Amino acid sequence: MVPVPEDLPEMEYRYLGRSGLQVSAISLGGWLTYGGHVENENTFACMKAAYDAGINFFDCAEGYAGGESERIMGEAIRKFGWKRNDLIYWGQANGERAQSTTSVSPASVSSKAPTWLSNGSNSTIILLGNLRMDCRRNRLSAHATAQRLNLIAPIMEQPQYNLLARQKVEGEFLPLYNEFGLGLTTFSPLKFGFLTGKYNAGIPSDSRLGTSQDAFATRTKARTGDDSWKEDIAAVEKLMPVAEKLGISMANLAMSLGLEE
């Protein structure tokens, strides 16, 4: 197993919106990685290292690697015997993005609960999400409906947030934080690896994009050389002197945005 560095700072924990639930400031997600791209033993090692570093928030979905990501991450939970109060599991009922779910109706979401439980998350607090609700209008509608029916309104959102994608978190959703106490569990702080600089000269053959057969990776590779790709790379190249001046890696610079309070 991968040991946690002795000089690693203590993990910070933050409240998830107004829910009263405390989660680690950094989470570990299984998209594009576990259940396919990374071998099982390496998945176990990554999850154990994350847990030992204080991470208690794990993100997965039934659509990741056709369900294999959930299965192998659940197997890690069982393997290490982590307890109910140790973890928060973020599972997504994300409709058309999933391999096996064609609806995000209450009946459909309820039918997936046994699957999440059987994948090992019965030892965790489970948060369910719906990635279709990804705009401010949908959020306002959901809160209004919950208030009218005396239900619990959504407590969190999971938008992409990084140095190359800031508009939704810092603009569109801004009024929702104070009005509804919306919590954030953002994803892709490294912009799928772009912000490390490793794709500046193209896609390395041994990189995740270079080896993954995932549909998203395939679509991303198809962007190589187009205008949006060039814009991302140009922005990364402008940021590299900033990281160098600060004496930190590009990955550290990118991660610092999401860790700001």
Side-chain angles (χ1 to χ4, degrees), residues 31-32 160 164 187-188 190-195 198-199 202-204 207-230 232-233:
W31 185 39
L32 296 178
Q160 182 184 163
L164 301 178
F187 75 94
S188 200
L190 301 181
K191 182 70 173 182
F192 320 118
F194 277 76
L195 282 163
K198 67 181 178 182
Y199 297 124
I203 301 177
S207 66
R208 184 167 60 174
L209 278 183
T211 58
S212 177
Q213 301 302 312
D214 179 87
F216 174 83
T218 300
R219 291 195 301 271
T220 302
K221 282 184 280 191
R223 288 179 49 217
T224 306
D226 70 11
D227 289 344
S228 64
W229 181 282
K230 291 176 181 177
D232 283 347
I233 297 303

Side-chain angles (χ1 to χ4, degrees), residues 72-116:
I72 194 62
M73 291 180 78
E75 189 173 323
I77 292 172
R78 287 192 295 269
K79 176 182 176 69
F80 297 118
W82 293 333
K83 305 301 181 182
R84 173 178 294 276
N85 291 332
D86 289 343
L87 305 176
I88 294 94
Y89 174 84
W90 162 238
Q92 300 164 23
N94 47 346
E96 71 275 13
R97 300 188 189 183
Q99 298 292 325
S100 58
T101 298
T102 57
S103 169
V104 288
S105 66
S108 177
V109 172
S110 296
S111 73
K112 302 313 297 181
T115 301
W116 287 317

Side-chain angles (χ1 to χ4, degrees), residues 16 46 78 132 155 165 205 225 237:
L16 188 56
C46 286
R78 287 192 295 269
R132 286 182 178 174
I155 64 170
S205 59
E237 289 175 341

